[in-house]
Amino acid sequence: MRGRTKWLGIPVAIIAVGAIAGAAVVSRTADCPPASAIVVAPADTTAARAYTYACYGGPEVIHAGNIATPTPTDSEVVVRVRASSVNPLDWHFMRGEPYVMRLMSGLGAPTEPRLGVDFAGTVQAIGARVTEFRVGDRVFGVRTGAFATHLVVSENGVIAHIPDRVSFDAAAAAGVAAITALQAIRDKAQVKPGQRVLINGASGGVGTFAVQIAKIYGAHVTGVASTRNMELVTSLGADRAIDYTKEN
């Protein structure tokens, strides 16, 4: 038994060392280059601008500068961004935290220099095979690089027409939060009419959309929020609002 235990300890030790080494690699943060060294496009490129970053950190790592003028492929559209919104996802990308995100965004430093995901704007150009959109269409969606004057989006990507009564600002605030809520209510929970749904954080970005979507699907909705957001939660359509500072 002692021999077996001894041999079992070897793979355990290897796994432990590997985990420690992996954590060290993932958590490593490269030094930031000087602002003068961050060149995204030639200095005479003035048609488009964007917020970019070359290292992980706080707001000080963000750089505003020129970007190459986007050109669509046959299946892409160029959007002139009119509004974009900031949400926790952007914070996570900027900080590179939690560290597991760096497996997607880049080890040591970000591999994609452009920031932002939620956008709303007008179609400025389309590819030869694009059929769903026309130049001048008002659109919104999710695409890396939304903190810019222009961006390119696949026709089959996360992009849709903005309803006539919705402003650019309101459309830009949907994106990630609304899609997350839709996936939770419609796809994961598969909410049906008459069901009772409890939404924690009902006054937050995802929560505000979740309340409305759950009501659209015919559910009885209870929203949980703080005292100052009780009126907001009920105005969104919640049948009951619970103040978590006063009630369990």
Side-chain angles (χ1 to χ4, degrees), residues 92-216:
H92 290 305
F93 274 113
M94 180 184 70
R95 295 280 186 179
E97 298 174 359
Y99 291 137
V100 68
M101 284 197 62
R102 301 189 183 192
L103 296 175
M104 175 175 60
S105 61
L107 298 177
T111 54
E112 168 56 64
R114 297 179 60 176
L115 283 164
V117 290
D118 291 342
F119 72 88
T122 54
V123 175
Q124 182 169 290
I126 62 173
R129 297 181 182 178
V130 173
T131 59
E132 295 296 321
F133 303 97
R134 295 287 183 268
V135 173
D137 283 356
R138 298 186 336 126
V139 295
F140 75 113
V142 176
R143 178 72 167 89
T144 301
F147 296 166
T149 56
H150 300 75
L151 75 162
V152 174
V153 187
S154 170
E155 179 184 26
N156 297 319
V158 185
I159 180 173
H161 291 92
I162 299 176
D164 292 338
R165 293 182 294 176
V166 177
S167 68
F168 286 122
D169 289 350
V176 171
I179 292 173
T180 302
L182 183 64
Q183 290 173 331
I185 298 298
R186 182 193 65 187
D187 303 336
K188 298 299 182 180
Q190 298 183 5
V191 171
K192 302 294 190 298
Q195 290 184 329
R196 302 178 71 86
V197 177
L198 175 69
I199 299 175
N200 285 306
S203 62
V206 176
T208 52
F209 285 107
V211 170
Q212 298 173 79
I213 294 172
K215 288 302 298 180
I216 290 173

Side-chain angles (χ1 to χ4, degrees), residues 19-36:
I20 293 172
V25 170
V26 172
S27 62
R28 184 184 71 85
T29 300
D31 294 334
C32 288
S36 59

Side-chain angles (χ1 to χ4, degrees), residues 14-82:
I14 293 174
I15 293 172
V17 171
I20 293 172
V25 170
V26 172
S27 62
R28 184 184 71 85
T29 300
D31 294 334
C32 288
S36 59
I38 303 175
V39 179
V40 180
D44 59 352
T45 302
T46 58
R49 290 180 63 80
Y51 285 102
T52 62
Y53 71 140
C55 60
Y56 296 118
E60 70 278 358
V61 305
I62 300 175
H63 173 75
N66 299 323
I67 61 172
T69 305
T71 303
T73 64
D74 286 350
S75 60
E76 293 178 330
V77 301
V78 175
V79 177
R80 172 66 171 92
V81 179
R82 304 294 179 179

